[in-house]
C-alpha cells in the first residue's frame, strides 16, 4: 500500500500537513523504508522532521473508507463552522451587488420553465378512485391508480442459502413475517422445521446472524396470503408500528377505513385528498373513494337540490345504493392488499353511519373523521369554488343559478345533520384557517391512527408558496463524487447570488418567511446571501448518507464494489448504502419536515439536496414511492409549490444552466 504521513496540530482545528517527498510503501505489515524521517512543510515555509513508524493490523475496506472520509473532513474543514442553527440577516449581503455578472430580470416569468407534472387546478373528487362496480368490463382493470405499485401484491418465492441460529435459544415465534421494509426480521424455516432470524441490510445483500452453532440449509421464503400485503413499503418507525399493530390487533384492524363526515363545502374532500397523499408517502397503500363520483356515474351529474332532500325516498335510496357500492369496492380492494381506505361522502346522519358500520363488521376498522367549519366567509369561498369546478354544475351556464341550487342542497343537508357521537372518531372544528380551532378524539389507539391525528392537527387551508431548490453546484458535483461536505464551485457561487435576488423579488410582498437548509456547508453557503428572513438548519434535510461510498464516484463504486452497484441499480428505493441510508430511510427522517411545512402559514424556502428534494416533491405531487429515486430535480432551478384550498400547483424557474 502506498501512502504518506499526515501531521495534525494537537487540540486545534487547523488542517493537516502532508508529508513531503515520495510515497511510502507498506508491504505485509512492514514499512519498507522505515529509517527515513518524515518531513513536513508548514504554512510559514518552515520545515519540521519527525521519526515515524507504522503499527499495521488488518482492517476492512469499510474501515479504510471511513478513515479516508475522516481525513478529507479534517484536511478540508467546513467554511461554515460557527454559524448558529438559527440565524437572521437583517439585510442582504452587499457582496451580491459587487458581482457584475449577477444580473436577474425583474420579470420572474422570464425564468419559468415547463413543469414535469400537471400543475393545472383539478377538482379533488376527480382524482379519486374510479368505480370498479360500475365498470362495464367487470374486471376492474382501470380501477387502480398510480399508487398501486406502492406495495407489490404478488411476490415470487425466493430460494436462498443461509445460516441459522440454534432454534432452542432464539425466536421461537412462528408469527414473524416478511415486511416490505428493509432491515426488518423475517421468520425462516429449515427443512427440519427449525427457525432462525434473517436480517436484510438492503436489496441483494442479506446479512447473516452468526452463532457458534450454525447450520447451513436452503429454504423457500413464503408468506401467508392474508398477511403478506398488510405491511407498508416503509422503514423505521412506520414499519415497526405497522408490525406491532398487525401482530397484536384484531384481524379487522389490519384494514382501516377513514369515513368522512361533513356538510358540503366544509373542506371534506380536500382533507381526504391531503390525508391520502400523506399516508401514501409514508408507504401505506391508501386509496380515496368519493361517493359523489359513483353517484354521477350511476345517476348522472345534473341532479338538482331536490335529489338531496330528506323527504325524497327515491333520492335517499339512490344515494344509499351508491354508498354501498363504493364501500364494497373499498372492501374488495382491501382484500387484494389495500391498507387504508378514505371513504369520502357527507355521511351526515346516524342512519347512514350505522349502515356503514354494519357493512364493516369483521372486515375493517372504521374511524369517522368529521370536519366542522363555522367560518361563513370560508364556506362562501368553498361554495363558489365548487360551482366553478364540480362536474355537478359543468352543464349549468348560469353561475348564480348554480349557486342558488347548491345552497339549497346544503340547506337540505343541514335539516337532518347529526354530529358524530358513536364509535371511534376524530372531529376537526374550525381547523381550516390554521388559527386556533380544536380537535376532538374518541376511542383512538394504535400507531397509524395516532399518526393520522398528529397530521390532522397540523394541517390547514391557508394559501402559501413553498420554494424547493438544490444547493448551488458544489466542487464534488464537478468531480462527479457523491456525499461529502464540499464547498461551492464557481457556478455555485454565482447561483447563490442569483437565488438571493430571486427570493428577495418573489417574497418582497410577504410579511414573513423562513429559509431552511441542511447542516452541510453547500446549502448553508447557497442560502447565505439571502437577507431579511430567519435561516434554520435541519439535520433532517441532509443529503442521503452514502455510508462507505461517501466521496466516491459511481464509476468507482461499479469498479470496486460491483455487488453494491448492481444492488442499487436493481431497487434504488429500498437499497441501503453500507453503513448509510436508503430512500425509505430518508422519507422516515423527513416526516417532521413535512409536518412543519404543513403547519407553516408563511412561505418557506428549502435549500437542500437531490435525494431529499425528490422525497419532498413526491409528497406534494403525490408521486408513487418507486418513482422517487428517478424524479428530476436539476441544479440551479427553483420548484415553487403553491398550497391552498385548490390543491397543489407547481411552477419552475431556471435561473441558470
Amino acid at each position: 500500500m502506498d501512502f504518506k504521513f499526515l501531521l495534525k496540530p494537537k487540540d486545534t482545528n487547523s488542517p493537516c500537513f502532508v508529508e513531503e517527498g515520495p510515497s511510502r510503501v507498506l508491504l505485509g505489515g512492514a514499512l519498507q523504508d522505515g529509517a527515513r524521517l518524515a518531513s513536513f512543510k508548514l504554512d510559514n515555509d518552515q520545515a519540521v522532521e519527525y521519526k515515524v513508524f507504522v503499527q499495521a493490523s488488518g482492517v476492512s475496506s469499510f474501515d479504510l473508507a471511513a478513515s479516508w472520509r475522516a481525513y478529507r473532513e479534517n484536511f478540508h474543514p467546513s467554511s461554515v463552522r460557527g454559524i448558529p442553527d438559527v440565524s437572521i440577516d437583517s439585510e442582504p449581503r452587499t457582496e451580491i451587488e459587487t458581482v457584475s455578472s449577477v444580473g436577474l430580470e425583474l420579470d420572474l416569468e422570464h425564468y419559468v420553465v415547463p413543469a414535469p407534472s400537471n400543475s393545472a387546478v383539478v377538482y379533488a373528487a376527480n382524482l379519486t378512485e374510479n368505480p370498479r362496480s360500475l365498470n362495464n368490463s367487470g374486471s376492474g382493470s382501470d380501477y387502480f391508480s398510480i399508487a398501486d405499485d406502492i406495495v407489490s401484491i404478488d411476490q415470487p418465492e425466493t430460494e436462498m442459502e443461509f445460516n441459522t441460529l440454534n432454534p432452542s435459544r432464539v425466536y421461537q415465534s412462528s408469527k414473524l413475517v416478511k415486511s416490505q421494509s428493509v432491515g426488518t426480521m423475517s421468520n425462516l424455516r429449515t427443512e427440519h422445521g427449525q427457525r432462525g432470524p434473517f436480517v436484510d441490510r438492503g436489496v441483494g445483500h442479506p446479512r447473516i446472524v452468526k452463532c457458534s452453532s450454525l447450520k447451513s440449509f436452503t429454504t423457500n421464503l413464503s408468506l401467508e396470503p392474508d398477511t403478506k400485503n398488510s405491511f407498508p413499503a416503509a422503514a423505521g418507525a412506520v414499519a415497526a408500528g405497522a408490525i406491532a399493530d398487525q401482530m397484536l390487533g384484531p384481524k379487522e384492524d389490519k384494514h382501516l377505513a377513514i369515513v368522512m363526515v361533513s356538510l358540503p363545502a366544509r373542506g371534506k374532500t380536500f382533507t381526504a385528498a391531503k390525508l391520502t397523499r400523506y399516508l401514501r408517502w409514508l408507504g401505506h397503500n391508501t386509496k380515496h373513494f368519493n361517493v359523489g363520483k359513483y353517484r354521477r356515474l350511476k345517476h348522472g351529474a345534473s341532479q338538482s337540490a331536490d335529489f338531496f332532500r330528506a323527504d325524497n325516498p327515491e333520492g335517499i335510496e339512490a344515494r344509499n345504493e351508491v354508498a354501498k357500492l363504493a364501500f364494497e369496492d373499498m372492501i374488495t380492494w382491501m382484500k387484494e392488499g389495500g391498507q387504508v381506505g378514505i371513504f369520502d361522502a357527507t355521511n351526515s346522519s346516524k342512519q347512514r353511519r350505522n349502515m356503514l358500520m354494519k357493512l364493516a363488521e369483521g372486515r375493517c376498522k372504521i374511524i369517522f373523521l368529521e370536519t366542522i367549519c363555522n367560518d361563513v366567509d370560508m364556506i362562501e369561498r368553498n361554495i363558489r369554488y365548487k360551482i366553478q369546478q364540480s362536474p355537478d354544475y359543468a352543464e349549468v351556464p348560469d353561475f348564480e343559478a348554480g349557486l342558488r341550487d347548491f345552497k339549497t342542497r346544503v340547506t337540505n343537508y343541514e335539516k337532518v345533520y347529526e354530529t358524530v357521537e358513536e364509535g371511534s372518531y376524530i372531529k376537526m372544528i374550525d381547523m381550516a384557517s390554521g388559527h386556533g380551532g380544536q380537535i376532538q378524539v374518541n376511542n383512538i389507539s394504535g400507531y397509524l391512527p395516532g399518526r393520522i391525528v398528529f397530521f390532522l392537527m397540523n394541517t390547514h387551508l391557508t394559501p402559501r408558496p413553498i420554494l424547493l431548490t438544490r444547493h448551488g453546484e458544489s466542487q464534488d458535483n464537478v468531480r462527479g463524487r457523491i456525499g461529502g461536505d464540499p464547498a461551492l464551485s464557481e457556478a455555485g457561487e454565482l447561483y447563490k447570488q442569483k437565488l438571493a435576488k430571486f427570493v428577495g423579488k418573489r417574497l418582497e410582498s410577504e410579511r414573513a418567511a423562513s429559509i431552511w437548509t441542511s447542516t452541510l456547508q453547500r446549502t448553508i453557503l447557497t442560502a447565505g446571501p439571502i437577507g431579511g428572513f430567519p435561516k434554520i438548519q435541519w439535520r433532517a434535510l441532509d443529503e442521503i448518507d452514502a455510508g462507505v461510498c461517501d466521496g466516491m464516484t459511481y464509476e468507482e463504486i461499479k469498479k470496486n464494489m460491483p455487488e453494491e452497484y448492481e444492488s442499487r441499480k436493481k431497487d434504488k428505493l429500498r437499497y441501503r448504502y453500507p453503513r448509510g441510508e436508503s430512500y425509505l430511510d430518508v422519507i422516515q427522517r423527513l416526516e417532521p419536515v413535512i409536518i412543519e411545512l404543513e403547519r407553516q402559514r408563511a412561505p418557506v424556502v428549502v435549500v437542500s439536496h437531490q435525494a431529499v428534494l425528490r422525497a419532498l416533491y413526491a409528497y406534494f405531487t403525490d408521486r408513487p414511492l418507486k418513482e422517487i429515486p428517478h424524479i428530476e430535480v436539476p441544479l440551479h432551478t427553483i420548484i415553487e409549490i403553491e398550497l391552498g384550498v385548490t390543491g397543489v400547483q407547481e411552477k419552475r424557474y431556471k435561473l441558470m444552466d
Side-chain angles (χ1 to χ4, degrees):
M1 182 177 67
D2 292 350
F3 71 97
K4 289 185 177 182
F5 285 106
L6 301 177
L7 177 66
K8 186 177 187 305
K10 186 178 180 181
D11 300 327
T12 72
N13 290 325
S14 301
C16 301
F17 296 94
V18 183
E19 180 186 9
E20 298 283 316
S23 296
R24 295 177 182 268
V25 178
L26 184 72
L27 184 64
L31 192 60
Q32 298 302 295
D33 51 355
R36 174 160 59 96
L37 295 177
S39 177
F40 301 93
K41 189 174 182 180
L42 307 184
D43 288 339
N44 56 6
D45 291 334
Q46 177 186 359
V48 296
E49 292 184 339
Y50 291 95
K51 186 177 181 179
V52 296
F53 65 94
V54 173
Q55 181 178 352
S57 58
V59 295
S60 70
S61 58
F62 292 163
D63 291 327
L64 286 176
S67 299
W68 169 244
R69 186 166 63 252
Y71 154 70
R72 290 177 68 245
E73 292 175 352
N74 284 318
F75 194 67
H76 301 288
S78 170
S79 60
V80 298
R81 287 177 179 169
I83 295 180
D85 288 350
V86 179
S87 60
I88 184 169
D89 299 320
S90 58
E91 296 294 338
R93 304 276 180 86
T94 56
E95 64 177 322
I96 302 175
E97 308 299 334
T98 63
V99 182
S100 59
S101 60
V102 188
L104 193 71
E105 295 283 345
L106 293 178
D107 183 10
L108 299 184
E109 296 299 316
H110 174 77
Y111 298 95
V112 173
V113 294
S117 63
N118 182 11
S119 59
V121 176
V122 180
Y123 186 59
N126 290 342
L127 301 177
T128 58
E129 297 311 305
N130 293 320
R132 171 185 300 193
S133 54
L134 300 180
N135 188 339
N136 291 333
S137 66
S139 64
S141 59
D142 297 328
Y143 178 70
F144 293 99
S145 71
I146 59 174
D148 285 340
D149 46 28
I150 288 178
V151 175
S152 173
I153 292 179
D154 293 311
Q155 296 184 358
E157 292 186 347
T158 303
E159 189 173 89
M160 181 181 301
E161 183 174 312
F162 67 98
N163 297 318
T164 183
L165 299 178
N166 186 335
S168 65
R169 297 175 57 187
V170 295
Y171 303 108
Q172 292 290 340
S173 170
S174 63
K175 296 182 179 180
L176 289 177
V177 297
K178 183 180 178 183
S179 167
Q180 294 285 343
S181 64
V182 173
T184 55
M185 192 166 288
S186 303
N187 187 31
L188 302 178
R189 184 185 298 270
T190 72
E191 58 187 346
H192 303 296
Q194 297 175 329
R195 302 184 182 91
F198 169 80
V199 180
D200 187 2
R201 180 187 56 71
V203 175
H205 281 271
R207 185 175 68 206
I208 307 304
V209 181
K210 296 182 179 179
C211 180
S212 57
S213 57
L214 292 176
K215 186 175 181 181
S216 179
F217 57 89
T218 301
T219 186
N220 290 325
L221 303 182
S222 60
L223 302 173
E224 297 179 8
D226 191 39
T227 60
K228 68 177 180 178
N229 298 322
S230 301
F231 298 118
V238 171
I243 289 173
D245 286 353
Q246 297 292 331
M247 293 177 65
L248 301 177
K251 180 178 180 180
E252 59 267 23
D253 285 6
K254 294 180 180 179
H255 306 293
L256 179 62
I258 305 297
V259 176
M260 306 301 297
V261 178
S262 175
L263 289 169
R266 266 60 175 181
K268 164 179 52 65
T269 297
F270 177 79
T271 301
K274 210 169 192 180
L275 181 58
T276 300
R277 176 160 49 89
Y278 170 71
L279 294 175
R280 282 175 176 169
W281 183 78
L282 284 182
H284 298 281
N285 196 358
T286 306
K287 286 184 181 292
H288 182 182
F289 296 82
N290 181 266
V291 177
K293 194 171 188 178
Y294 281 72
R295 169 180 53 78
R296 285 185 283 272
L297 288 173
K298 181 75 173 178
H299 302 289
S302 56
Q303 300 292 336
S304 70
D306 289 340
F307 182 80
F308 302 91
R309 287 188 358 240
D311 57 353
N312 180 354
E314 292 81 6
I316 293 175
E317 182 179 355
R319 285 184 282 135
N320 284 337
E321 177 191 17
V322 292
K324 290 178 181 178
L325 289 174
F327 200 88
E328 289 299 331
D329 277 359
M330 182 178 68
I331 294 296
T332 300
W333 164 75
M334 286 178 174
K335 291 179 179 178
E336 295 170 348
Q339 296 169 7
V340 184
I342 313 292
F343 188 78
D344 182 10
T346 55
N347 301 313
S348 54
S349 68
K350 288 184 179 180
Q351 182 179 7
R352 163 69 72 85
R353 297 193 293 269
N354 287 335
M355 178 190 79
L356 298 178
M357 285 192 288
K358 288 182 180 179
L359 291 174
E361 285 181 359
R363 306 164 86 184
C364 70
K365 175 185 176 70
I366 279 185
I367 295 178
F368 294 111
L369 174 53
E370 184 175 11
T371 58
I372 299 173
C373 179
N374 298 307
D375 187 329
V376 176
D377 293 336
M378 180 171 289
I379 294 172
E380 182 68 21
R381 287 196 300 269
N382 291 348
I383 289 176
R384 290 182 173 274
Y385 171 72
K386 191 174 183 72
I387 301 304
Q388 294 171 348
Q389 299 293 329
S390 173
D392 285 352
Y393 295 95
E395 298 180 4
V396 180
D398 186 349
F399 178 85
E400 293 300 326
L403 187 63
R404 288 191 298 271
D405 180 84
F406 187 77
K407 288 185 175 181
T408 303
R409 181 196 300 190
V410 173
T411 301
N412 290 336
Y413 275 109
E414 288 175 335
K415 292 177 180 178
V416 295
Y417 187 82
E418 297 172 286
T419 189
V420 176
E421 295 176 344
E422 64 273 18
S424 301
Y425 64 78
I426 305 167
K427 286 189 184 183
M428 300 176 64
I429 304 173
D430 293 330
M431 296 281 290
S433 66
H435 298 278
Q438 60 177 295
I439 188 165
Q440 297 178 3
V441 177
N442 182 67
N443 194 26
I444 298 296
S445 63
Y447 177 81
L448 184 54
R451 299 310 302 166
I452 290 173
V453 171
F454 183 64
F455 174 75
L456 294 173
M457 288 175 63
N458 291 280
T459 59
H460 56 86
L461 305 182
T462 305
R464 75 279 189 198
I466 294 174
L467 306 179
L468 308 177
T469 183
R470 289 173 66 183
H471 53 80
E473 182 187 65
S474 72
Q475 294 172 358
D476 276 0
N477 288 142
V478 176
R479 303 183 187 107
R481 299 193 178 278
I482 63 175
D485 191 18
L488 299 177
S489 68
E490 289 186 9
E493 292 287 343
L494 179 61
Y495 176 69
K496 78 177 185 181
Q497 298 166 26
K498 284 180 173 285
L499 176 64
K501 284 197 168 184
F502 176 92
V503 171
K505 178 67 176 175
R506 175 63 183 85
L507 303 181
E508 63 182 351
S509 62
E510 299 289 346
R511 293 186 301 169
S514 57
I515 316 298
W516 297 359
T517 72
S518 73
T519 62
L520 300 175
Q521 66 171 333
R522 54 191 182 274
T523 65
I524 299 171
L525 292 172
T526 300
I530 302 174
F533 303 116
K535 301 186 183 79
I536 304 168
Q537 298 177 28
W538 285 68
R539 182 67 181 268
L541 291 174
D542 284 4
E543 179 60 297
I544 187 172
D545 186 352
V548 300
C549 299
D550 188 83
M552 299 174 69
T553 67
Y554 288 118
E555 283 301 316
E556 289 171 345
I557 297 173
K558 183 177 182 180
K559 178 181 178 181
N560 300 315
M561 307 170 74
E563 292 183 355
E564 294 295 334
Y565 184 85
E566 290 301 321
S567 295
R568 178 180 177 274
K569 183 178 178 181
K570 180 181 177 181
D571 189 346
K572 288 181 69 176
L573 175 68
R574 293 172 176 81
Y575 170 77
R576 180 177 290 126
Y577 286 100
R579 299 190 182 180
E581 290 182 302
S582 69
Y583 269 92
L584 291 179
D585 294 327
V586 171
I587 289 172
Q588 291 308 301
R589 66 169 156 94
L590 282 176
E591 187 186 9
V593 178
I594 289 297
I595 295 295
E596 190 57 30
L597 284 173
E598 288 286 359
R599 196 184 70 83
Q600 292 281 318
R601 295 196 300 272
V604 178
V605 180
V606 180
V607 184
S608 188
H609 309 267
Q610 181 169 246
V612 170
L613 294 180
R614 281 171 168 168
L616 293 179
Y617 178 83
Y619 167 76
F620 290 115
T621 57
D622 200 15
R623 296 282 287 273
L625 288 182
K626 75 171 187 177
E627 293 184 11
I628 289 180
H630 310 285
I631 292 174
E632 182 182 4
V633 184
L635 284 169
H636 306 155
T637 301
I638 299 164
I639 303 174
E640 179 176 328
I641 303 292
E642 185 73 32
L643 303 179
V645 69
T646 58
V648 177
Q649 299 175 61
E650 176 188 354
K651 200 173 192 178
R652 292 199 176 199
Y653 304 87
K654 189 169 184 62
L655 300 191
M656 53 185 284
D657 294 327

